Amino acid sequence: MPRSTNPGQTPDAATSGESTDSTRQRIVAAAKEEFARHGIAGARVDRIAKQARTSKERVYAYFRSKEALYAHVAERETTALVEATQLDPADLPGYAGILFDHFAARPDHYRLITWGRLELAESADNTTSPLQATIAGKLDKLRDAQRIGLLDPAWDPVDVLALINQIAMTWAGQPEIAAAAADQALDPSITARRAALVTAVERMFPRPEPVGRTGAARHR
């Protein structure tokens, strides 16, 4: 059976599996670094090729354009984010902490996806993209949590998800304040920053009381 070709990938490139093609792996790794640092418009294929120890022609043998290469890298990074940050509607503060941990460990990931939002705004309107499917799945989980009493039904699930995501990425998106915190915060540690945002989400969307504890309280 012939191997299918990924979007943005040439037929010739599809003949080599990514897991066995070290050149392609180096290209993708170099591209991730280049796009995170310079964005899509500012990225240069010649720098990617040099970092990957190959030629521009070889890069284009795998990906027909710089935009196609970015799309491939961004999809990989988004998949990694989704897998690493599963949403538990019964523990939204914990979810915020997981998001914080991911971006604290991988600031390049935050920069990479931010460049895409700025330079490829039309992609956000693609309701069939894997990212939109992931968002829809999280919203369904929040609606289910409201139906069974784990989450206040007064909140629109869309607002819940947007607020938690924004709070969790507060420090990733404001490096200038993070730098100021290193000198001026009462506790400059990253642990304190994480605790603050988890507490903020906890106050907005508190964890539900365990069933046993709630029942005991009713009989006092």
Side-chain angles (χ1 to χ4, degrees):
M1 179 180 294
R3 184 176 297 169
S4 61
T5 305
N6 292 331
Q9 185 180 6
T10 66
D12 289 343
T15 61
S16 297
E18 181 170 338
S19 62
T20 59
D21 192 324
S22 60
T23 300
R24 190 171 189 271
Q25 290 177 0
R26 293 198 307 271
I27 289 170
V28 172
K32 182 174 70 172
E33 181 178 335
E34 178 76 6
F35 287 129
R37 182 174 299 175
H38 300 288
I40 304 169
R44 295 291 179 266
V45 175
D46 55 349
R47 285 198 297 253
I48 293 173
K50 182 178 180 180
Q51 180 68 20
R53 305 191 307 278
T54 189
S55 65
K56 289 177 63 174
E57 291 74 19
R58 189 64 171 165
V59 174
Y60 286 121
Y62 287 105
F63 301 95
R64 66 171 60 96
S65 68
K66 182 171 63 172
E67 290 74 20
L69 177 53
Y70 173 83
H72 176 78
V73 172
E75 183 175 352
R76 281 169 52 100
E77 291 299 291
T78 299
T79 298
L81 172 63
V82 170
E83 291 177 351
T85 59
Q86 298 294 317
L87 184 147
D88 179 358
D91 187 10
L92 296 179
Y95 172 66
I98 290 171
L99 281 174
F100 173 87
D101 292 340
H102 180 86
F103 288 111
R106 302 186 60 181
D108 59 319
H109 185 174
Y110 181 83
R111 293 193 299 270
L112 181 75
I113 61 176
T114 299
W115 281 116
R117 287 170 177 164
L118 292 172
E119 300 187 53
L120 299 175
E122 69 278 2
S123 64
D125 299 327
N126 181 6
T127 57
T128 63
S129 70
L131 179 57
Q132 288 298 324
T134 296
I135 292 172
K138 290 182 178 181
L139 293 175
D140 285 342
K141 286 185 177 181
L142 293 173
R143 293 187 187 99
D144 289 342
Q146 289 177 322
R147 280 193 287 269
I148 63 176
L150 294 178
L151 179 64
D152 185 351
W155 286 96
D156 190 315
V158 173
D159 293 324
V160 174
L161 187 60
L163 288 168
I164 293 175
N165 285 352
Q166 192 62 42
I167 292 171
M169 292 186 283
T170 293
W171 296 103
Q174 301 185 86
E176 66 283 357
I177 299 182
D183 295 326
Q184 301 184 41
L186 295 176
D187 182 346
S189 69
I190 190 172
T191 302
R193 306 286 76 74
R194 185 188 195 279
L197 68 87
V198 169
T199 298
V201 175
E202 172 70 38
R203 291 180 179 178
M204 296 176 70
F205 311 110
R207 297 178 178 90
E209 289 287 336
V211 175
R213 184 182 303 175
T214 301
R218 288 175 179 171
H219 291 290
R220 286 176 183 173

